[in-house]
DNA sequence: TCTGGGGTCCTAGGACCC
DNA sequence: TCTGGGGTCCTAGGACCC
């Protein structure tokens, strides 16, 4: 059996840990740049605010005092997440951390009669020790556990834990679940399914195997098997990420290539730093840019360019230099750019970098590595923007990103901790 | 005025091989 | 008019996830 532990309205719950006065009140957390609503309390859901709503559409509610908004504070959420995960890790032999607010617990070795108690204890412990409410769904497959956690969240009587431990419960849950709530069935698939007369998860689970295979391929088949109780979503290979991306929207649109170059330098340098932190290196560097897709009155342009290095790299100099080359090939004047980003991919372990048959400049590489190590050491202590390349922006990475409602770094900044206390 | 960021996997089609 | 059969690998784009 699997237990899916899901933090309720996670970002909102994190903010409420330090603002208990907001319990029971409508709260939302916004994306970068205060752009969209990305987390909602139950009360703000009840007001009809949808996930992804542009903030400007609900800003008047904040001004009227009917809604409380927070800019996103990922340092806080990441820290509270690791506290939750550490409690969960202590409770069972094996756990898969699936996202910042979700984890699958493997319940092998736990007696069926003890599962519910174990989960209820966990709900209480996380609440008491971290302050965040969680829901747990227990079922024989991950897809069913996801559905169960949804019921755990919705029905008060479950006290945070929904057990789907026999077939009648499974069938009943499937019958009550619209097909779109199933893990792996997204926006595009829902209308298609409905066109085929598949409205509930049970409708789908009862279709013949051949029909599923013919219409939806291997992905659909996996979902179908899981809904029917046959576990086939296996453990993620969580060794090494396959790509790393750093991108941001700009508070204002940017046309000037010099200004874009500063931003793209920052993104590339951050990608390089993420690579080094994971002891990885990348062969491919991609730069992409978007104009503002919501402005019908402006010319649109969504270019991207990729350069493949002869030898995988992770130094700021090389990744940034390559990103600048990409930028030069795609930049066109006369467009208003709203967003840009850098992706590094084709990632290999840093200690397994191969030279080319023509050899490569090991002396240069070794100087870059030593410089990177010094930069990482200094920036690790003094803040990530203390040492940077001249091509990067002065100031902090987050400068120029709107965050008008940011809470304090309650758990990760000594200054903030002292001041708040 | 104002609309996020970071990932994974699958598939179809092209290039290439014998 | 007529133009094989069977593979592999890579890439771009789509769909999905949180």
């Amino acid at each position: 059996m699997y237990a899916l532990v899901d933090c309720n309205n996670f970002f909102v719950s994190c903010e409420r840990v330090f603002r208990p006065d907001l319990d029971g009140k409508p709260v939302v957390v916004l994306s970068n740049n205060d752009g969209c609503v990305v987390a909602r309390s139950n009360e703000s859901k009840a007001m009809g605010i949808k996930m992804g709503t542009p903030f400007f559409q609900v800003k008047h509610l904040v001004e009227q005092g009917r809604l409380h908004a927070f800019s996103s504070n990922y340092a806080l959420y990441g820290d509270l997440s690791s506290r939750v995960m550490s409690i969960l890790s202590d409770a069972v032999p094996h756990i898969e951390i699936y996202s910042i607010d979700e984890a699958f617990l493997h319940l092998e070795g736990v007696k069926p009669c003890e599962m519910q108690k174990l989960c209820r204890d966990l709900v209480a412990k996380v609440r008491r020790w971290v302050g965040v409410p969680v829901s747990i769904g227990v079922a024989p497959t991950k897809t069913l556990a996801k559905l169960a956690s949804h019921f755990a969240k919705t029905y008060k009587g479950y006290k945070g834990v929904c057990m789907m431990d026999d077939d009648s419960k499974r069938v009943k849950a499937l019958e009550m679940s619209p097909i779109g709530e199933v893990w792996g069935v997204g926006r595009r698939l829902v209308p298609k399914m409905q066109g085929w007369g598949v409205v509930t998860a049970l409708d789908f689970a009862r279709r013949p195997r051949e029909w599923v295979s013919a219409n939806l391929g291997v992905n659909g088949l996996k979902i179908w098997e899981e809904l029917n109780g046959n576990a086939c979503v296996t453990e993620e290979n969580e060794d090494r990420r396959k790509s790393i991306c750093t991108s941001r929207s700009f508070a204002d649109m940017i046309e000037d290539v010099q200004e874009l170059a500063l931003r793209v330098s920052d993104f590339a340098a951050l990608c390089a730093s993420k690579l080094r932190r994971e002891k990885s290196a990348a062969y491919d560097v991609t730069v992409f840019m978007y104009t503002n897709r919501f402005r019908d009155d402006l010319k649109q342009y969504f270019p991207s360019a990729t350069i493949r290095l002869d030898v995988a790299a992770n130094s700021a100099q090389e990744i940034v230099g390559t990103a600048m080359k990409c930028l030069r090939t795609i930049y066109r004047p006369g467009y208003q750019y709203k967003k840009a980003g850098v992706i590094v991919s084709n990632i290999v372990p840093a200690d397994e970098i191969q030279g080319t048959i023509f050899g490569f400049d090991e002396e240069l590489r070794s100087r870059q590595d030593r410089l990177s190590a010094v930069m990482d050491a200094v920036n690790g202590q003094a803040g990530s923007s203390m040492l940077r390349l001249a091509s990067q922006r002065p100031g902090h990475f987050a400068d120029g990103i709107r965050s008008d409602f940011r809470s304090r770094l309650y758990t990760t900044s000594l200054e903030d901790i002292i001041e708040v206390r």
Side-chain angles (χ1 to χ4, degrees), chain A residues 45 91 94 170 181 222 267 301 315 339 345 374 405:
Chain A
K45 287 177 189 169
H94 188 44
R170 180 184 70 88
E181 264 170 39
K222 266 190 189 171
F267 301 152
Y301 182 40
S315 70
K339 174 175 178 165
S345 52
V374 170
F405 314 96

Side-chain angles (χ1 to χ4, degrees), chain A residues 174-175 177 179 193 196-208 211-212 224 227:
Chain A
L174 292 184
E175 198 173 6
S177 302
I179 187 65
M193 292 274 205
W196 290 324
V198 173
V199 178
T200 68
L202 188 64
D203 293 336
F204 183 65
R206 292 202 164 152
R207 286 288 157 121
W211 180 89
V212 175
W224 183 85
L227 288 179

Side-chain angles (χ1 to χ4, degrees), chain A residues 179-181 185-196 198:
Chain A
I179 187 65
E181 264 170 39
V185 179
R187 291 196 144 40
R188 306 297 174 118
L189 233 42
V190 169
K192 239 171 146 180
M193 292 274 205
Q194 287 170 342
W196 290 324
V198 173

Side-chain angles (χ1 to χ4, degrees), chain A residues 60-297:
Chain A
H60 63 282
L61 297 172
V62 175
E63 285 155 0
Q64 294 163 7
R66 294 162 60 200
L67 176 67
H68 201 98
F70 287 98
S71 303
S72 41
N73 183 345
Y74 290 106
L76 177 67
Y77 313 147
D79 185 56
L80 294 194
S81 171
S82 65
R83 295 173 192 220
V84 172
M85 298 307 171
S86 130
I87 292 172
L88 301 180
S89 303
D90 287 344
V92 292
H94 188 44
I95 157 176
E96 287 174 62
I97 297 172
Y98 178 70
S99 72
I100 193 166
D101 71 334
E102 278 177 58
F104 288 103
L105 313 185
H106 293 231
L107 297 183
E108 293 127 27
V110 182
K111 289 180 192 145
C113 58
E114 289 169 354
M115 286 181 187
Q116 186 162 27
K117 180 174 181 339
L118 179 121
C119 291
R120 287 210 168 146
D121 288 351
L122 274 178
V123 170
K125 192 180 272 188
V126 172
R127 187 65 200 249
R128 199 168 342 109
W129 290 8
V130 185
V132 168
V134 302
S135 303
I136 305 185
V138 180
T141 72
K142 290 181 180 174
T143 306
L144 290 172
K146 289 277 257 186
L147 275 186
S149 83
H150 182 77
F151 286 104
K153 204 169 295 188
T154 321
Y155 292 97
K156 289 268 183 290
Y158 285 130
K159 296 180 181 152
V161 179
C162 173
M163 306 288 299
M164 195 188 286
D165 49 4
D166 69 44
D167 205 56
S168 66
K169 289 183 192 168
R170 180 184 70 88
V171 171
K172 192 164 181 193
L174 292 184
E175 198 173 6
M176 291 174 68
S177 302
I179 187 65
E181 264 170 39
V182 173
W183 194 31
V185 179
R187 291 196 144 40
R188 306 297 174 118
L189 233 42
V190 169
K192 239 171 146 180
M193 292 274 205
Q194 287 170 342
W196 290 324
V198 173
V199 178
T200 68
L202 188 64
D203 293 336
F204 183 65
R206 292 202 164 152
R207 286 288 157 121
R209 193 172 208 289
E210 299 70 38
W211 180 89
V212 175
S213 170
N215 287 289
L216 293 156
V218 297
N219 265 337
L221 216 43
K222 266 190 189 171
I223 297 168
W224 183 85
E225 290 284 6
E226 286 255 321
L227 288 179
N228 282 304
N230 305 318
C232 60
V233 175
T234 51
E235 182 141 12
E236 311 278 322
N237 291 340
E238 48 198 289
D239 30 21
R240 199 167 291 273
R241 282 189 285 181
K242 291 170 179 160
S243 67
I244 291 173
C245 172
T246 305
S247 73
R248 291 291 182 279
S249 296
F250 310 131
D252 302 301
M253 291 181 283
I254 298 176
E255 182 176 349
D256 177 39
V257 69
Q258 305 292 348
E259 181 62 26
L260 275 171
L262 291 173
R263 310 294 185 122
V264 173
S265 286
D266 273 354
F267 301 152
L270 190 51
C271 281
S273 149
K274 291 174 183 175
L275 280 169
R276 295 196 299 274
R277 197 183 315 157
E278 304 199 346
K279 304 201 187 313
S280 293
Y283 279 101
D284 291 351
V285 178
T286 301
V287 173
F288 64 88
M289 305 193 294
Y290 295 156
T291 48
N292 190 337
R293 66 196 161 103
F294 297 104
R295 291 287 298 268
D296 296 335
D297 55 324

